Amino acid sequence: MTAVTIIGGGVAGLCVARVLRDKGADVTVVDRHDGPGPHACSWWAGGMLAPHCEGESAEEPVVRLGQEAADWWDAHTGCVTRNGSLVVSLARDHADLTRFARRTQGHDPVTKTEIAQLEPDLGDRFAKGLFFGAEAHLSPRAALSALRAGLQSDGVVFETADADPADYASRGLTVDCRGFRAKDALADLRGVKGEMLVLSCPDVALNRPIRLLHPRVPLYVVPRGDGVFMLGATQIEGAAGPHVTARSLLELLSAAYALNPAFGEASVLEIGVDSRPAFPDNLPRIRRTGNLIRANGLFRHGFLLAPALARMVGDLIFDGTVPEVMDEVAA
Amino acid sequence: MRDFYGTALDNGFMLGTAQYPSPAVLADAFKRSGASVATVSLRRESGQDRAGQDFWQLIQDLGVHILPNTAGCHSVKEAVTTAHMAREVFDTKWIKLEVIGEEDTLQPDVFGLVEAARILSEDGFQVFPYTTEDLVVADKLLQAGCEVLMPWGAPIGSGLGLNNLFGLRAMRAHFPDVPLVIDAGLGLPSQAAQAMELGFDAVLLNTAVAKAGDPAQMAHAFALAIQAGQAAATADPMEPRDMAAPSTPVIGKAFLE
């Protein structure tokens, strides 16, 4: 049986573990912490499985590879909600909506009446929007926990240690899934700061992620159920410090208020900030040096692209297939 | 072409570095643009602990002149602090000075702008102020120590082109020796060509390239337009007239009734 050690138990590490276990590998996952938590940026993710919407600014592989995500997460966690996603803009920013429509596929234009039918709580505030019917979303923390629980019951061993992947690779096949912490080994990896909020607002009910386009402060709101919402997310070049800036909070909350003034009465449950790991083209990479495989650079597409990234790691190990996101450039 | 604080540029293309889909696309767009200057905005938060270092390195690797800017600053104090940070990070005296006065139109606060320009000039900065086409403000900026002026074409990110042709022409005529850059509001290469034809020394744009479906291709298109406009300006364009003027002799031409 192939034995593989995975370093990092965030979304990338757990997905790789799932795929390798399903292929029959003897898998150990080593992470600094015991279980998913705020130390991993996937903990703070939005959990939108929205490949078409991402196509507005992302390269083609994101749209294509992201199509695998909803089915994968559904099969392995059962946490997926398939209600599509809705994109709206305030009347003054309709030019942004027109551009978004031109840059993406898989959407239908919706009128004020149709928006109100899809999302009664948006009322008649938005004259037009785009409905991406095939898209889905999940709750990241529930999905990570479910994935981990499934792995544990299938015999995957979880160890808590601050591990050096190179050290493990000297003893056997190792996959480095440490995200931004792998910067010590990946010189072209950079951090892109993201800030988010979790609100409790029982006055508002939404059925699907809503994106509010804005030239400076684009916002998305993802319903988590029970009146809880995730608000995200800023995207700032530079590794994150420990704190969210007042400006980011102000902008996120103002945008939420524009979406529905009832968000003004919400309770702020959590404020999150972390660094998304990204390569210069914002696409993920797999690199291999002997026994050490590094899978990284999921950027803002952790839940969207981790299943495809994991599949490629599995094919590389078991079939020798060179992944399309593999580059041999030494870091 | 007039020089910018003693620096002669290869061409009149200044390109911003914000809003691209990825740093790789940004680098590609710069390559196709041949732009001689890259503007980069500095966030206070990323300057303090140099958190933005990776991104700044990518900008420095473009190998062009770097013009840091104080984008998004709403007060004199904020702009001055950001300028100091930028000087440290990029090791340049150049600073594009933005003091925003109105959130919706991103119109400059010209009063704060003049004050910040004076403070920074006295401190040894070489200031590129983002201003309007107002001649009195322009004159105050020159008195404050600026040797370059950057009037807007239209509001930032609007893509409306040159909104006040009369004002911009008057500005060019009024300050024949001052390097003038059209900053903001350009959406199409034809608008950039028009600015250069009017005798402006450079154009600065960002959104029109970064938000195009194919940023590199659009950057190339702007480069061609800027080159064309610049060539036209130096070729002494004809004067428009109200009547037709035949381009071939009419007298003696054979014709049938």
Side-chain angles (χ1 to χ4, degrees):
Chain A
M1 192 187 255
T2 310
V4 187
T5 306
I6 296 164
I7 315 295
V11 68
L14 293 180
C15 286
V16 170
R18 184 69 265 173
V19 167
L20 296 184
R21 184 71 199 91
D22 288 346
K23 284 180 171 285
D26 180 5
V27 178
T28 304
V29 177
V30 185
D31 193 90
R32 287 179 294 148
H33 296 266
D34 183 23
H39 57 280
C41 76
S42 44
W43 185 255
W44 303 108
M48 292 186 292
L49 304 175
H52 295 296
C53 282
E54 290 301 312
E56 185 257 337
S57 59
E59 307 268 344
E60 178 275 337
V62 174
V63 181
R64 178 168 44 82
L65 299 173
Q67 318 266 348
E68 302 173 25
D71 287 344
W72 194 94
W73 285 105
D74 210 8
H76 294 290
T77 69
C79 290
V80 175
T81 307
R82 296 175 193 256
N83 273 348
S85 39
L86 182 62
V87 179
V88 294
S89 76
L90 299 172
R92 40 171 263 178
D93 299 324
H94 276 171
D96 292 308
L97 196 64
T98 306
R99 178 180 181 275
F100 200 97
R102 217 173 49 224
R103 301 275 304 143
T104 55
Q105 292 179 329
H107 55 72
D108 293 308
V110 280
T111 61
K112 184 187 284 190
T113 319
E114 289 163 324
I115 292 172
Q117 279 163 0
L118 285 165
E119 298 292 355
D121 277 2
L122 294 186
D124 56 1
R125 261 187 299 279
F126 299 97
K128 47 184 178 177
L130 300 168
F131 180 55
F132 292 75
E135 296 189 332
H137 67 282
L138 53 69
S139 167
R141 297 174 192 179
L144 291 173
S145 297
L147 197 54
R148 191 174 194 270
L151 289 166
Q152 272 174 322
S153 67
D154 286 348
V156 170
V157 177
F158 284 83
E159 287 176 8
T160 307
D162 196 357
D164 175 10
D167 187 31
Y168 280 79
S170 66
R171 299 195 295 272
L173 195 54
T174 304
V175 188
D176 178 358
C177 295
R178 288 177 298 154
F180 187 56
R181 275 179 68 88
K183 178 150 179 65
D184 57 0
L186 299 166
D188 53 348
L189 195 69
R190 73 187 201 288
V192 181
K193 181 180 181 182
E195 294 151 303
M196 59 82 86
L197 291 168
V198 181
L199 302 181
S200 168
C201 189
D203 292 348
V204 179
L206 295 174
N207 300 310
R208 54 186 60 76
I210 314 288
R211 292 180 189 233
L212 176 63
L213 303 183
H214 185 279
R216 292 190 306 283
V217 194
L219 168 92
Y220 57 81
V221 177
V222 188
R224 292 274 192 260
D226 295 328
V228 175
F229 299 89
M230 180 270 185
L231 242 70
T234 57
Q235 193 166 305
I236 299 165
E237 286 294 341
H243 301 296
V244 173
T245 61
R247 173 176 298 185
S248 294
L249 271 186
L250 200 66
E251 288 176 344
L252 286 173
L253 287 170
S254 304
Y257 188 78
L259 199 64
N260 188 332
F263 277 118
E265 304 304 319
S267 308
V268 179
L269 301 183
E270 286 182 68
I271 297 174
V273 56
D274 213 337
S275 298
R276 308 175 181 94
F279 289 107
D281 57 5
N282 292 344
L283 291 174
R285 288 284 188 292
I286 296 170
R287 289 175 182 164
R288 180 168 195 167
T289 318
N291 260 343
L292 182 55
I293 296 169
R294 299 192 199 267
N296 212 319
L298 286 170
F299 183 46
R300 56 178 275 153
H301 303 122
F303 285 83
L304 188 64
L305 294 186
L309 188 73
R311 169 177 57 74
M312 289 186 253
V313 171
D315 292 348
L316 173 66
I317 292 174
F318 282 88
D319 312 327
T321 314
V322 177
E324 66 166 284
V325 299
M326 182 122 160
D327 64 3
E328 298 292 348
V329 184
Chain B
M1 195 168 143
R2 298 162 188 87
D3 66 21
F4 297 82
Y5 292 101
T7 300
L9 300 177
D10 291 342
N11 60 56
F13 197 173
M14 302 182 174
L15 186 55
T17 56
Q19 297 183 312
Y20 291 82
S22 70
V25 174
L26 184 161
D28 213 23
F30 264 85
K31 211 175 293 166
R32 292 291 304 283
S33 76
S36 51
V37 173
T39 62
V40 54
S41 69
L42 210 64
R43 281 196 173 237
R44 293 271 302 279
E45 52 175 296
S46 43
Q48 269 150 359
D49 48 9
R50 295 196 153 240
Q53 193 58 50
D54 287 333
F55 185 68
W56 301 332
Q57 192 56 50
L58 289 164
I59 305 294
Q60 273 167 329
D61 290 346
L62 296 172
V64 300
H65 294 284
I66 292 181
L67 176 59
N69 79 40
T70 64
C73 289
H74 286 71
S75 71
V76 173
K77 191 179 170 199
E78 209 182 344
V80 169
T81 309
T82 306
H84 278 272
M85 210 170 263
R87 180 162 68 178
E88 237 175 80
V89 168
F90 292 107
D91 193 26
T92 174
K93 290 182 194 170
W94 282 13
I95 186 75
K96 179 191 155 184
L97 182 61
E98 261 185 57
V99 183
I100 298 299
E102 215 284 320
E103 189 64 45
D104 257 358
T105 58
L106 300 179
Q107 194 162 352
D109 165 8
V110 293
F111 304 96
L113 183 69
V114 171
E115 193 190 336
R118 184 186 50 75
I119 294 169
L120 291 171
S121 298
E122 282 172 4
D123 199 11
F125 282 91
Q126 296 173 335
V127 179
F128 294 62
Y130 163 63
T131 183
T132 68
E133 64 279 58
D134 189 297
L135 298 180
V136 181
V137 172
D139 199 45
K140 302 258 185 218
L141 286 167
L142 296 176
Q143 286 172 30
C146 297
E147 294 177 22
V148 174
L149 297 172
M150 305 222 288
W152 63 351
I156 295 173
S158 67
L160 292 172
L162 305 181
N163 257 3
N164 181 355
L165 270 182
F166 160 75
L168 291 170
R169 254 199 304 256
M171 192 172 193
R172 181 66 286 177
H174 202 82
F175 301 106
D177 302 323
V178 178
L180 299 179
V181 182
I182 293 291
D183 177 10
L186 300 184
L188 286 170
S190 53
Q191 298 159 352
Q194 188 185 21
M196 299 305 285
E197 287 161 4
L198 289 178
F200 284 84
D201 298 276
V203 297
L204 197 169
L205 53 111
N206 189 339
T207 312
V209 167
K211 290 286 188 186
D214 184 340
Q217 182 74 347
M218 189 57 87
H220 178 58
F222 268 99
L224 296 175
I226 290 162
Q227 195 186 0
Q230 200 161 12
T234 54
D236 191 9
M238 66 169 281
E239 288 302 320
R241 49 187 295 148
D242 292 331
M243 298 300 289
S247 54
T248 47
V250 179
I251 295 173
K253 189 177 170 188
F255 61 92
L256 298 169
E257 284 214 67

